[in-house]
Amino acid sequence: MRRCVIFGGGELKDIRFTQSLLREDDYIVCADRGYAYCAAMGRKPDLILGDFDSYSGKLPPGCEVLRYPIEKDDTDTMAAVRLGQERGYRRFHIFGGTGGRFDHT
């Protein structure tokens, strides 16, 4: 079963360990600053989404990008989960999903 792997912008202490958990067939979604982790691993995500309040760098060409308004009901990570569900995924792995924010737990 394919997995939806979501990178959030929260703390990710060991990038190499996280990278070892990824599979080639993972559907990778980066929520805003979560793209920085994915890029550090040398992986190209399938989708990057968010309001981009915490990441303003370059995005990779050929990658699907969804932009949301800053004022919204869900966090960027929750928007990634909902989108994964809409696309048929039922197994999720979330890395960098917390980081001291209560609304991310």
Side-chain angles (χ1 to χ4, degrees):
M1 173 185 286
R2 283 188 73 198
R3 309 178 305 179
C4 181
V5 173
I6 297 171
F7 286 97
E11 187 175 8
L12 189 62
K13 291 187 180 208
D14 191 340
I15 288 179
R16 281 189 273 175
F17 175 73
T18 303
Q19 186 175 14
S20 74
L21 300 175
L22 300 179
R23 299 188 317 211
E24 286 299 317
D25 66 338
D26 285 335
Y27 182 75
I28 297 177
V29 179
C30 295
D32 209 326
R33 187 175 59 175
Y35 173 65
Y37 293 130
C38 194
M41 293 179 204
R43 294 291 296 258
K44 182 177 178 181
D46 296 286
L47 171 68
I48 303 170
L49 61 75
D51 54 21
F52 296 95
D53 64 340
S54 62
Y55 183 81
S56 59
K58 288 187 175 187
L59 299 176
C63 182
E64 182 180 5
V65 177
L66 297 176
R67 295 183 184 273
Y68 295 102
I70 290 175
E71 293 189 20
K72 58 191 180 310
D73 291 334
D74 286 334
T75 65
D76 294 330
T77 303
M78 190 65 224
V81 171
R82 289 185 195 281
L83 190 127
Q85 288 175 325
E86 289 171 11
R87 295 189 178 186
Y89 291 92
R90 297 295 175 256
R91 175 169 282 194
F92 292 83
H93 290 256
I94 300 174
F95 301 106
T98 60
R101 287 184 54 182
F102 181 73
D103 59 335
H104 284 195
T105 57

